[in-house]
């Protein structure tokens, strides 16, 4: 097929790819998991059988195997017309997507100190794709770029200024592609232009963040220097007292253990002692499991607190938007969160909350609610495909 766009999203041991046609209709997607391990494997949507990968297969082998399936399925000619890469950290260098060349690669490497777990694997994905398709335009789309409109008062920490000046210690924000998609979709649903639409966008997946979008621009967001700050997440703590680091050091906990504790063992998993998966937690809570009930309460209360905090950045609010696996699917989380926000005039319609989407164009607020509340499925891959098309072939973007 002519003019296809390949979207690549690399994790440390995973690789997600999606293939779009020139009109940005999704043709297929695939996922490789457990890369670098003995039992690496891949799956492609619509193919019941797993795709064989060599033991210890790396990102390049996985990409090559998935691309071969797309070719065999007749979805991809020799090569796509462009490739869009999700890159987590663009620092202050990238305010928008960038056509990848050696300078852009060097700048992404420079940002790696800000995202040591993410940028190096994103670079591995770019290198793998460049090796496979050396003559095809590759575009980097940054999680941080949408938040480069944050005002100084929102991005500065109250720290000695040399930390910012010398090392770039500031709040950057993440999930930018999803929040940007929410801004555009909410405007479309509300019959407005993005430039006049102000929303609070809550992206609730395994990672969670919330953003105040004022007249189309990110004005405040809950994630900071790293994707650890802010809301309660699947395994991440979100906000803690910075005094905790000293306290734990005095208990003999080493820095790398603190890192693991806050990133991998906290959040819903840490509170419940059972799982980071909200759907399972809701089932456990239903059966009277108290730590799971507590985890859900803390999650929703922190989220509601942040909705209140985001109000400080807006001069009007067109809608509060829920997205991500939890935001799109958990009526319980939405209901509990909104229950904390009655003073602002939010109410919820239980029927709409339960059946959102099918009967309401995503609307779930009660008739008397002061503000609209929308549930909108996110589509980060589409944003990356659109950006790749726009950057790689200016004038052809749909
Ligand atoms: P990722 O950040 O990895 O893309 P997702 O956006 O897919 O994650 O969100 C995963 C989260 O969504 C998990 O906690 C999962 O349990 C939750 N989720 C999915 N469906 C439901 C549901 N029906 N009810 C509650 N939570 C759900």
């Amino acid at each position: 097929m002519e003019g296809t766009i390949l979207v690549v999203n690399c994790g440390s041991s995973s690789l997600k790819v999606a293939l779009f046609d020139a009109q940005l209709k999704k043709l297929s997607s695939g996922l490789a998991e457990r890369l670098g391990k003995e039992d690496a494997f891949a799956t492609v949507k619509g193919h019941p059988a797993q795709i064989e990968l060599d033991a210890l297969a790396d990102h390049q082998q996985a990409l090559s195997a998935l691309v071969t399936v797309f070719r065999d399925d007749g979805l991809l000619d020799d090569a796509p017309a462009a490739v869009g890469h999700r890159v987590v950290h663009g620092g202050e260098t990238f305010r928008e997507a960038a056509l990848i060349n050696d300078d852009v690669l060097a700048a992404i490497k420079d940002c790696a100190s800000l995202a040591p777990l993410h940028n190096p694997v994103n670079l591995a994905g770019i290198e793998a794709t460049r090796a496979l398709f050396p003559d095809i335009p590759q575009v980097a789309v940054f999680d941080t770029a949408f938040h480069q409109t944050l005002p100084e008062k929102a991005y500065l920490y109250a720290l000695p200024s040399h930390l910012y000046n010398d090392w770039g210690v500031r709040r950057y924000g993440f999930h930018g592609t999803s929040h940007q998609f929410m801004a555009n979709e909410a405007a479309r649903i509300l019959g407005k232009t993005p430039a006049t639409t102000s929303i609070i966008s809550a992206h609730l997946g395994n990672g969670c963040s919330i953003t105040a979008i004022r007249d189309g621009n990110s004005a405040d967001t809950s994630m900071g220097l790293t994707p650890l700050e802010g809301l309660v997440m699947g395994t991440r703590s979100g906000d803690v007292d910075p005094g905790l680091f000293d306290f734990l050091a005095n208990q003999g906990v080493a820095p790398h253990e603190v890192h693991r504790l806050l990133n991998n063992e906290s959040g819903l998993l840490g509170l419940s002692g059972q799982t980071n998966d909200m759907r399972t937690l809701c089932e456990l809570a239903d059966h009277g499991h108290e730590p799971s009930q507590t985890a859900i309460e803390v999650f929703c209360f922190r989220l509601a607190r942040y909705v209140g905090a985001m109000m400080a950045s807006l001069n009007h609010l067109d809608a509060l938007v829920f997205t991500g696996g939890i935001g799109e699917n958990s009526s319980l989380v939405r209901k509990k969160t909104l229950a904390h926000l009655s003073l602002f005039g939010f109410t919820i319609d239980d029927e709409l909350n339960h059946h959102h989407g099918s009967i309401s164009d995503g609307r779930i607020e009660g008739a008397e609610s002061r503000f609209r509340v929308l549930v909108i499925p996110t589509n980060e891959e589409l944003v990356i495909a659109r950006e790749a098309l726009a950057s790689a072939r200016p004038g052809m973007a749909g």
Side-chain angles (χ1 to χ4, degrees), residues 184-200:
N184 293 338
E185 279 297 285
R188 186 186 61 73
I189 290 169
L190 298 170
K192 301 185 69 169
T193 59
T196 60
T197 304
S198 291
I199 64 167
I200 295 175

Side-chain angles (χ1 to χ4, degrees), residues 206-243:
N206 279 312
C208 300
S209 72
I210 186 164
T211 296
I213 299 172
R214 181 174 168 140
D215 297 329
N217 294 317
S218 176
D220 192 11
T221 192
S222 59
M223 284 178 166
L225 176 71
T226 74
L228 182 57
E229 189 179 342
L231 302 176
V232 176
M233 311 183 209
T235 60
R236 284 173 250 167
S237 61
D239 293 342
V240 292
D241 182 344

Side-chain angles (χ1 to χ4, degrees), residues 342-354:
S342 57
L343 191 59
F344 285 110
F346 282 101
T347 67
I348 193 163
D349 181 309
D350 284 333
E351 188 67 12
L352 292 179
N353 186 34
H354 217 66

